[in-house]
């Protein structure tokens, strides 16, 4: 699933093309893609048509396009969702689900989603209870700040993390504690911080949490610079281009390969119905 860097790359690309544009046509081609818009596809189209996009924002893995009506169109990409900007005459993508015409330019914003796990919905913006400077869609009010937001408070996060009774990676994936971090970047940050994914949060010292946050921000920014991580053709930016940060991965997906720091073979372990990668030499597992 796309994580913070991938969603931010998409957000920046969408903003370039849609900010200030007025919607002159909407076509919902698959109802499942607007299933979270409970008023239905007709209402979704009605609330978009003849409205202008004023800004494109992101929190964690969610992005939303603000409208001059005071509402916003929330987009969650899921496992395979793509937001593409194409000329109107461009051939339809095989898994195109929603098409939004952008006037006066002869372009369209297209939601393409092979597995239809992603979704779009329109709803009101509310005051950000998490302390952000802009409003957020009401349906994601529970999502925590992400570590690249200026309002993110390291001390508050450290205290909250250390009060938890769980493993460090499970905590990093909890979007109510910190948003935008998924399996790939959690493994990469933990490798850099020399922390095993099962390390209990309650035993962490504040300097260790500060060090982990530093490495987490570093890896997220490096991934952003590389356009994100693409293991297949499902994650692309608005121009249909893949990211290349997978070339810089140190732990994730490297099972059996030597650790670049100590030479031990990277180990793959089952974690929450997915995989977790770590170095048995640099990231010692906690005693059971």
């Amino acid at each position: 699933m796309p994580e913070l860097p991938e969603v931010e790359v998409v957000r920046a690309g969408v903003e370039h093309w849609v900010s200030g544009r007025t919607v002159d046509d909407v076509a919902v081609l698959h109802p499942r893609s607007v299933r979270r818009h409970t008023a239905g596809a007709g209402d979704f189209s009605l609330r978009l048509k003849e409205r202008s996009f004023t800004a494109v924002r992101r929190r964690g893995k969610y992005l939303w396009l603000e409208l001059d009506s005071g509402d916003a169109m929330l987009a969650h990409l899921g496992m395979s969702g793509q937001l593409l900007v194409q000329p109107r005459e461009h051939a339809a993508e095989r898994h195109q689900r929603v098409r939004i015409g952008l006037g006066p330019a002869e372009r369209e914003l297209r939601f393409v989603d092979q597995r239809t796990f992603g979704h779009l919905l329109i709803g009101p913006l509310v005051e950000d209870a998490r302390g952000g400077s802009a409003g957020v869609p009401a349906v994601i009010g529970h999502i925590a700040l992400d570590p690249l937001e200026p309002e993110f408070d390291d001390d508050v996060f450290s205290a909250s993390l250390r009060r938890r009774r769980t493993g460090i990676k499970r905590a990093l994936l909890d979007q109510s504690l910190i948003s935008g971090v998924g399996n790939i970047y959690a493994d990469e940050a933990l490798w850099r911080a020399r922390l095993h994914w099962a390390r209990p949060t309650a035993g962490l010292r504040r300097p260790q949490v500060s060090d982990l946050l530093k490495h987490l921000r570093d890896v997220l920014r490096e991934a952003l610079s590389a356009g994100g991580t693409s293991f297949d053709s499902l994650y692309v930016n608005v121009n249909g281009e893949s990211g290349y940060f997978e070339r810089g991965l140190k732990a994730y997906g490297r099972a059996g390969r030597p650790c670049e720091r100590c030479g031990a073979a990277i180990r793959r372990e089952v974690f929450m119905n997915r995989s977790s990668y770590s170095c048995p030499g640099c990231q010692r597992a906690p005693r059971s």
Side-chain angles (χ1 to χ4, degrees):
M1 181 178 292
E3 302 178 31
L4 185 157
E6 292 76 39
V7 178
E8 174 59 22
V9 168
V10 172
R11 185 210 65 79
V14 169
E15 184 171 54
H16 172 77
W17 288 106
V18 312
S19 188
R21 301 294 185 186
T22 300
V23 176
D24 60 13
D25 183 51
V26 182
V28 176
L29 307 174
H30 197 303
R32 181 169 167 77
S33 292
V34 295
R35 65 190 180 279
R36 300 289 179 89
H37 188 86
T38 55
D43 182 78
F44 177 89
S45 300
L46 186 65
R47 292 172 70 175
L48 269 182
K49 213 165 183 184
E50 299 182 6
R51 291 296 182 183
S52 297
F53 293 116
T54 58
V56 184
R57 305 189 189 278
R58 178 198 52 77
R59 170 156 299 166
K61 304 174 187 179
Y62 290 87
L63 63 87
W64 62 93
L65 290 70
E66 295 184 358
L67 297 162
D68 60 0
S69 62
D71 288 336
M73 184 180 80
L74 178 73
H76 185 51
L77 301 179
M79 294 293 290
S80 60
Q82 302 171 354
L83 284 172
L84 304 177
V85 177
Q86 301 281 25
R88 296 192 198 221
E89 67 275 10
H90 190 279
E93 291 76 14
R94 180 179 178 186
H95 301 290
Q96 186 179 135
R97 308 304 187 191
V98 180
R99 186 177 69 243
I100 300 170
L102 304 171
E106 290 300 312
R107 291 189 177 271
E108 294 177 335
L109 178 65
R110 298 177 177 181
F111 184 57
V112 178
D113 191 4
Q114 177 179 325
R115 299 176 184 172
T116 63
F117 291 161
H119 66 269
L120 306 177
L121 67 83
I122 298 172
L125 292 170
V126 298
E127 184 177 352
D128 187 1
R130 298 285 186 165
S133 57
V136 298
V139 294
I140 62 165
H142 65 289
I143 300 294
L145 295 170
D146 69 56
L148 298 188
E149 290 187 81
E151 296 86 2
F152 187 92
D153 191 314
D154 290 17
D155 292 334
V156 170
F157 171 77
S158 178
S160 298
L161 179 70
R162 294 162 67 218
R163 283 196 299 267
R164 303 277 175 121
R165 297 294 182 267
T166 187
I168 180 61
K169 183 174 178 179
R170 188 181 292 267
L172 290 177
L173 300 185
D174 183 348
Q175 302 298 296
S176 68
L177 177 66
I178 183 171
S179 68
V181 183
N183 210 34
I184 296 174
Y185 300 116
D187 279 358
E188 290 299 299
L190 290 169
W191 181 85
R192 295 185 184 202
R194 299 173 183 252
L195 294 171
H196 190 272
W197 56 267
R199 178 77 176 266
T201 54
L204 293 172
R205 299 184 301 275
R206 287 186 66 179
Q208 289 177 302
V209 178
S210 296
D211 187 53
L212 174 60
L213 278 174
K214 174 190 178 300
H215 290 303
L216 183 57
R217 288 183 173 118
D218 286 346
V219 75
L220 291 173
R221 289 183 176 122
E222 288 169 26
L224 264 172
S225 297
T229 301
S230 299
F231 284 106
D232 53 36
S233 61
L234 296 182
Y235 162 67
V236 295
N237 64 20
V238 295
N239 300 314
E241 300 165 337
S242 298
Y244 54 89
F245 186 68
E246 73 275 7
R247 302 173 191 171
L249 295 174
K250 307 299 183 184
Y252 186 86
R254 292 178 53 82
R257 300 182 190 178
C259 170
E260 293 185 11
R261 195 162 44 211
C262 75
I266 296 293
R267 179 181 296 164
R268 173 189 175 273
E269 297 170 278
V270 176
F271 168 78
M272 292 175 62
N273 295 320
R274 62 189 86 180
S275 298
S276 197
Y277 298 87
S278 62
C279 172
C282 300
Q283 298 167 268
R284 297 295 178 88
R287 294 178 181 178
S288 58

